[in-house]
């Protein structure tokens, strides 16, 4: 392997000076900061709420929020101007960008995996209910989810190292230098994401069609509502990831559409908010707990105001 150093990470366009897009970087960082806070609060609130869905579903969907936090942290490292400039100033920044690129690939892939597993689990629960409790996949869904994600976390960096890419600097990020090898690699990434999208979407649509025909009463109505949330959060993720998939295919052809990439990064990040909002919409217990917390905060603020306000003279 070549001896990589900072001189090799040059502007993507020859004879040009690269100025990092600080406006986008700042907006992107603030957005992801709020997404991180929202999902940490969401995870804390989930512990207090009794989930109507099966334990497999609730545990796997909780891992989705953890991965959203991870994705936001990775995105900040990926697009932040100050972090990029700091890494470029290191003696050998190449390996730092190898790790960041690998994590940037792991973040969406891990969420695709979670949604695929939960889609299969819901498909079995809705379309094959008589097999649900005894089905091997359902009984081992959590272990399977954990094993695949950890394996992906270990394998993706090794694939990136084996790929041994060259990097260049664009106004948005450090990206791959265009080459036949880079085209093949990015095209394969796009194909994998596209296949996962199609498989997951087909399972979710089939489950949704079957779920609409079911007439349930009592406690099972809450399970139906929870299943509806899983279907809609899955479909929302597919829609928010489409611009990113398009951006990957375009980058593979050495066409730099920075506006599209910036928009796709923002849309992809917004799923972090959408997941929390959808959960709140489909779970009344969650909303009740949220109202209780907001009411407690208001009550505490009023008590403090009364304690600070001096009594009126008689």
């Amino acid at each position: 392997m070549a001896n990589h150093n900072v001189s090799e990470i040059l502007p993507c366009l020859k004879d040009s000076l690269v100025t990092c897009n600080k406006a986008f970087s700042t907006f992107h960082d603030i957005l992801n900061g709020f997404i991180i806070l929202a999902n940490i609060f969401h995870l804390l609130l989930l512990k207090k709420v009794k989930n109507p869905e099966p334990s497999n579903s609730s545990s796997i969907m909780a891992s989705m929020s953890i991965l959203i936090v991870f994705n936001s942290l990775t995105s900040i490292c990926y697009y932040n101007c100050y972090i990029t400039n700091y890494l470029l100033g290191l003696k050998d920044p190449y390996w730092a960008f190898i790790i960041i690129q690998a994590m940037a690939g792991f973040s969406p892939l891990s969420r695709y995996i979670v949604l695929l597993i939960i889609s299969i689990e819901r498909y079995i629960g809705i379309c094959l209910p008589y097999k649900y409790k005894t089905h091997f996949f359902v009984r081992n869904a959590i272990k399977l989810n954990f094993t695949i994600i950890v394996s992906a976390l270990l394998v993706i960096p090794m694939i990136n190292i084996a790929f041994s890419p060259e990097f260049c600097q664009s106004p948005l990020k450090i990206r791959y230098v265009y080459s036949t090898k880079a085209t093949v690699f990015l095209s394969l990434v796009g194909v994998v994401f596209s296949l996962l999208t199609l498989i997951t979407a087909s399972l979710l649509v089939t489950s949704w069609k079957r779920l609409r025909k079911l007439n349930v009463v009592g406690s099972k109505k809450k399970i139906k509502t929870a299943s509806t949330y899983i279907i809609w959060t899955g479909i929302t993720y597919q829609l928010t990831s489409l611009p990113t998939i398009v951006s990957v295919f375009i980058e593979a052809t050495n066409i730099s559409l920075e506006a599209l990439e910036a928009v796709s990064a923002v849309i992809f990040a917004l799923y972090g908010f959408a997941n929390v909002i959808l959960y709140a919409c489909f779970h009344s217990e969650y909303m009740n707990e949220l109202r209780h917390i907001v009411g407690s905060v208001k009550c505490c603020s009023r008590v403090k105001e009364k304690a600070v306000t001096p009594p009126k003279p008689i």
Side-chain angles (χ1 to χ4, degrees):
M1 188 180 292
N3 182 26
H4 302 285
N5 55 60
V6 69
S7 63
E8 293 178 334
I9 303 179
L10 301 173
C12 295
L13 297 176
K14 292 182 179 180
D15 303 323
S16 66
L17 295 174
V18 177
T19 303
C20 184
N21 192 328
K22 290 186 178 180
F24 170 74
S25 175
T26 303
F27 172 75
H28 181 266
D29 291 350
I30 293 172
L31 175 65
N32 279 280
F34 279 115
I35 289 170
I36 290 169
L37 293 175
N39 278 274
I40 290 174
F41 179 75
H42 176 62
L43 286 167
L44 294 174
L45 200 56
L46 282 177
K47 290 185 177 181
K48 295 185 176 184
V49 178
K50 186 178 179 181
N51 293 308
E53 62 262 275
S55 59
N56 281 353
S57 302
S58 57
S59 299
I60 295 172
M61 290 312 298
S63 70
M64 175 63 84
S65 287
I66 295 172
L67 291 171
I68 288 171
V69 172
F70 182 86
N71 177 75
S72 293
L73 290 171
T74 303
S75 295
I76 290 172
C77 294
Y78 197 47
Y79 291 105
N80 184 275
C81 293
Y82 299 102
I83 292 174
T84 299
N85 291 332
Y86 172 78
L87 293 176
L88 286 171
L90 297 176
K91 186 177 180 181
D92 189 0
Y94 179 81
W95 298 108
F97 290 116
I98 280 283
I99 293 170
I100 290 175
Q101 289 282 353
M103 293 303 97
F106 167 77
S107 295
L109 180 61
S110 59
R111 288 191 283 175
Y112 274 113
I113 291 168
V114 170
L115 284 175
L116 179 60
I117 289 173
I118 198 66
S119 298
I120 296 171
E121 190 265 351
R122 284 293 82 204
Y123 175 82
I124 295 169
I126 295 169
C127 301
L128 304 170
Y130 52 90
K131 292 184 178 180
Y132 183 80
K133 290 184 179 181
T134 58
H135 201 285
F136 175 82
F137 184 90
V138 174
R139 293 173 64 184
N140 295 278
I142 296 175
K143 294 178 182 177
L144 188 64
N145 180 61
F146 178 79
T147 302
I148 294 176
I149 288 176
V150 171
S151 299
L153 183 60
L154 297 174
V155 170
I156 290 175
M158 288 189 277
I159 292 174
N160 227 27
I161 292 170
F163 168 49
S164 187
E166 294 180 5
F167 298 119
C168 65
Q169 188 179 7
S170 75
L172 286 184
K173 65 176 184 179
I174 300 297
R175 55 174 290 186
Y176 294 125
V177 172
Y178 178 73
S179 64
T180 303
K181 187 167 60 173
T183 299
V184 172
F185 180 75
L186 290 171
S187 297
L188 287 174
V189 170
V191 168
V192 169
F193 285 176
S194 299
L195 287 174
L196 288 172
T197 299
L198 289 172
I199 294 169
T200 304
S202 63
L203 288 169
L204 291 172
V205 170
T206 303
S207 300
W208 172 244
K209 287 180 178 178
R210 180 66 182 270
L211 190 65
R212 291 180 64 189
K213 296 177 181 178
L214 295 177
N215 293 319
V216 293
V217 293
S219 61
K220 289 187 177 180
K221 187 174 283 189
K222 289 185 177 181
I223 296 175
K224 181 179 178 180
T225 303
S227 298
T228 305
Y229 150 72
I230 291 171
I231 291 169
W232 278 107
T233 193
I235 292 172
T236 303
Y237 183 77
Q238 309 301 324
L239 294 174
T240 55
S241 65
L242 282 178
T244 302
I245 294 174
V246 173
S247 181
V248 169
F249 278 117
I250 289 175
E251 188 175 346
T253 61
N254 197 30
I255 298 174
S256 179
L257 296 179
E258 289 170 3
L260 173 62
E261 185 179 348
V263 171
S264 66
V266 170
I267 292 173
F268 194 56
L270 286 174
Y271 173 76
F273 281 134
N275 182 53
V276 176
I277 293 169
L278 284 168
Y279 191 94
C281 290
F282 285 102
H283 295 80
S284 57
E285 293 87 351
Y286 185 91
M287 286 301 296
N288 291 336
E289 187 66 32
L290 186 59
R291 291 191 191 98
H292 175 72
I293 291 173
V294 172
S296 299
V297 171
K298 286 182 178 179
C299 182
C300 290
S301 63
R302 287 171 185 169
V303 170
K304 287 181 180 179
E305 286 177 5
K306 289 181 180 179
V308 173
T309 306
K312 293 181 180 180
I314 300 173

